[in-house]
Amino acid sequence: MTESETARLGARIRAYRNMRHMTVRGLAGESKASASFISQLERGQTSASIGMLRRIAGALGITVADLFNEDDEVGHRVVRRSERPELHTAPGTRKYLISQRPLQNLEMYAGEFDPGASTGDEPYTHGDSQEIFLVLRGEATLWLGPAESATPRVLSPGDSVEYRTSIPHRVVNDGDETTEVLWVVSPPTPT
């Protein structure tokens, strides 16, 4: 790696660390490195092995490729609708990550449900965060609570519900048109 490439890599690591509100010592601890090494790396005064870069990227909640991707500004990336990362979900549904890695204070997803589609037969939970579910287009039924006693809430465009992610929940499109929704979760739930 050239001197300028090493300096750019160090600047990107520092930018991601600052974006995560981490100290040099915090990043060092999470990546099993010394604080002086991280400081030197950020200033472009040393290089790191692939193994170390993997640990640093993991501690920052990103991939090693993100450390080298200079096409996007750290923290100010535009994600076009056609380029949203898609999560593989139940048949007839599409779920896209809107918030960008590393996730800081919230995670946000856009979803589409074909008529009759749902998040699955069983309600699910994920961590214990605050979640807001908003219907943008169409109609959705949000079931909250354990399967045997879940309460349905029929939501129209502009309607939203707020709940804890630790409460079992599932979404169903009982309508005859595609439904578009947003999920906003804060803080991000563990993977």
Side-chain angles (χ1 to χ4, degrees):
M1 209 182 307
T2 68
E3 247 180 72
S4 66
E5 290 170 333
T6 301
R8 288 195 308 271
L9 173 63
R12 289 186 66 75
I13 291 170
R14 181 175 41 256
Y16 277 118
R17 179 180 58 77
N18 288 333
M19 196 165 115
R20 290 286 309 265
H21 305 288
M22 293 178 81
T23 63
V24 169
R25 287 179 194 253
L27 178 57
E30 287 193 38
S31 60
K32 298 180 176 61
S34 70
S36 62
F37 173 78
I38 296 295
S39 177
Q40 290 174 351
L41 184 62
E42 287 185 354
R43 292 180 307 201
Q45 296 176 338
T46 191
S47 58
S49 68
I50 292 295
M52 177 56 72
L53 290 177
R54 285 184 194 276
R55 292 198 306 269
I56 289 170
L60 293 171
I62 59 174
T63 67
V64 173
D66 292 329
L67 291 176
F68 291 94
N69 184 358
E70 295 185 22
D71 294 338
D72 297 321
E73 282 186 56
V74 174
H76 303 285
R77 295 174 291 189
V78 173
V79 178
R80 304 287 177 206
R81 183 180 181 108
S82 62
E83 298 170 353
R84 292 175 180 169
E86 184 173 355
L87 292 95
H88 297 285
T89 56
T93 67
R94 292 159 300 283
K95 190 170 185 179
Y96 305 96
L97 181 63
I98 301 297
S99 47
Q100 298 174 35
R101 298 179 76 193
L103 299 176
Q104 295 179 65
N105 301 313
L106 64 88
E107 60 185 314
M108 186 172 182
Y109 299 92
E112 298 172 354
F113 293 85
D114 292 338
S118 71
T119 53
D121 293 334
E122 294 295 319
Y124 66 98
T125 63
H126 48 103
D128 186 31
S129 296
Q130 176 184 8
E131 183 164 82
I132 297 172
F133 177 77
L134 171 69
V135 175
L136 299 173
R137 180 172 64 98
E139 190 174 275
T141 302
L142 176 69
W143 293 81
L144 287 173
E148 61 281 354
S149 61
T151 305
R153 289 171 173 81
V154 178
L155 304 169
S156 298
D159 293 346
S160 63
V161 177
E162 186 174 337
Y163 50 91
R164 300 299 299 181
T165 59
S166 56
I167 296 172
H169 53 283
R170 72 185 278 261
V171 177
V172 180
N173 177 1
D174 292 319
D176 54 5
E177 67 176 288
T178 299
T179 296
E180 288 187 43
V181 301
L182 284 179
W183 289 270
V184 179
V185 181
S186 180
T189 56
T191 55

